[in-house]
Amino acid sequence: MAHLLIVEDDELLRDGLCAQLVHAGHSVSSASDGAQAQTLLEATRFDGVVLDLGLPVVDGIAVLQWIRQRLAALPVLILTARDGVDDRVQGLNAGADDYLTKPFEMAELLARLQAMLRRSRLPAFGGSLEVQSTHNRSLRLDPVLPLGWLGEEAMELTHREWSLLSLLVNNMGQVVGREDVLSVWQTEPQEGGTVASNALEVYVHRLRRKLTDSGLNIRNVRGLGYMLESDAE
Ligand code: CA
């Protein structure tokens, strides 16, 4: 569950978005113009923003620039008009994390938001990076480089192993979906190319070996994904 801000001046669309996102389990606040959005952003901590670019009072691009100056890591998905290619480019240049062109399918918005929120939980965006195992050896990950430590011992990790393990650590005790891992991998230029979904098992297998005797285990949650858990539970 995330706390989201919806900024959209079209009342029908705004209400529809809010209802769907609440239905999807998120808590939602909304604003109908840019100034109202800024007031809410100053008062409350949000996990993500859906921002229409065509807004009254203060337009979407100005709100986006304002967000980037103050809340550098806050994920923002922009909504643009179908023919608004310039808007889209301008929005991405101003620091939007993703965009959708109107009209869009609600299912697509939900999927993109989910992927955006998962990415934002990666350590590079300030997520937590350390978990304690029962054996009193903590697992720590470098926030930027593909490095990890089990107690005092360094772990050798490829970039993909590191981002998979980061997702698991940041969501310790919760299921990380297969699709979430694949969508994070696809946004990373380091190892390039598309990832076959059966490659995920290979990476999980390698990480399990690296976590041998650590007191931490990657559990396969059938049909859903993977979960990092400690032996203690
Ligand atoms: Ca609008």
Side-chain angles (χ1 to χ4, degrees), residues 2-200:
H3 189 200
L4 302 171
L5 175 63
I6 309 305
V7 192
E8 169 61 65
D9 58 323
D10 179 330
E11 193 181 343
L12 210 61
L13 180 55
R14 187 176 65 243
D15 290 350
L17 278 169
C18 290
Q20 291 280 341
L21 292 170
V22 166
H23 184 71
H26 299 296
S27 76
V28 178
S29 300
S30 69
S32 56
D33 66 58
Q36 213 185 344
Q38 288 170 325
T39 306
L40 284 168
L41 284 161
E42 275 178 333
T44 314
R45 202 196 71 83
F46 291 96
D47 299 310
V49 180
V50 176
L51 177 67
D52 181 33
L53 287 188
L55 288 173
V57 190
V58 177
D59 81 19
I61 290 287
V63 174
L64 182 55
Q65 288 165 340
W66 182 91
I67 288 174
R68 282 295 164 256
Q69 281 164 15
R70 287 163 183 77
L71 304 157
L74 180 65
V76 179
L77 184 149
I78 54 173
L79 303 177
T80 66
R82 184 194 280 280
D83 52 358
V85 177
D86 286 351
D87 273 8
R88 201 151 70 212
V89 171
Q90 219 189 336
L92 292 170
N93 282 338
D97 296 274
D98 202 355
Y99 70 88
L100 268 181
T101 307
K102 289 180 187 178
F104 51 83
E105 295 291 327
M106 203 53 82
E108 187 176 6
L109 175 82
L110 288 173
R112 295 237 197 167
L113 258 182
Q114 195 82 355
M116 186 177 82
L117 293 169
R118 284 284 185 201
R119 285 197 297 274
S120 76
R121 280 173 206 146
L122 281 175
F125 292 85
S128 120
L129 281 178
E130 186 164 352
V131 288
Q132 201 75 32
S133 82
T134 46
H135 299 208
N136 251 345
R137 290 163 83 198
S138 64
L139 168 65
R140 281 183 300 127
L141 295 172
D142 188 278
V144 183
L145 300 168
L147 299 170
W149 296 267
L150 206 45
E152 296 301 305
E153 229 173 286
M155 285 173 92
E156 272 186 43
L157 296 169
T158 66
H159 202 277
R160 263 191 198 144
E161 289 170 344
W162 169 83
S163 60
L164 170 58
L165 194 52
S166 300
L167 274 174
L168 291 165
V169 165
N170 281 307
N171 296 282
M172 175 96 177
Q174 296 170 50
V175 177
V176 173
R178 303 171 54 86
E179 293 309 314
D180 296 320
V181 178
L182 297 178
S183 73
V184 165
W185 279 353
Q186 259 145 33
T187 61
E188 291 172 346
Q190 286 85 350
E191 286 174 49
T194 36
V195 194
S197 101
N198 61 3
L200 183 51

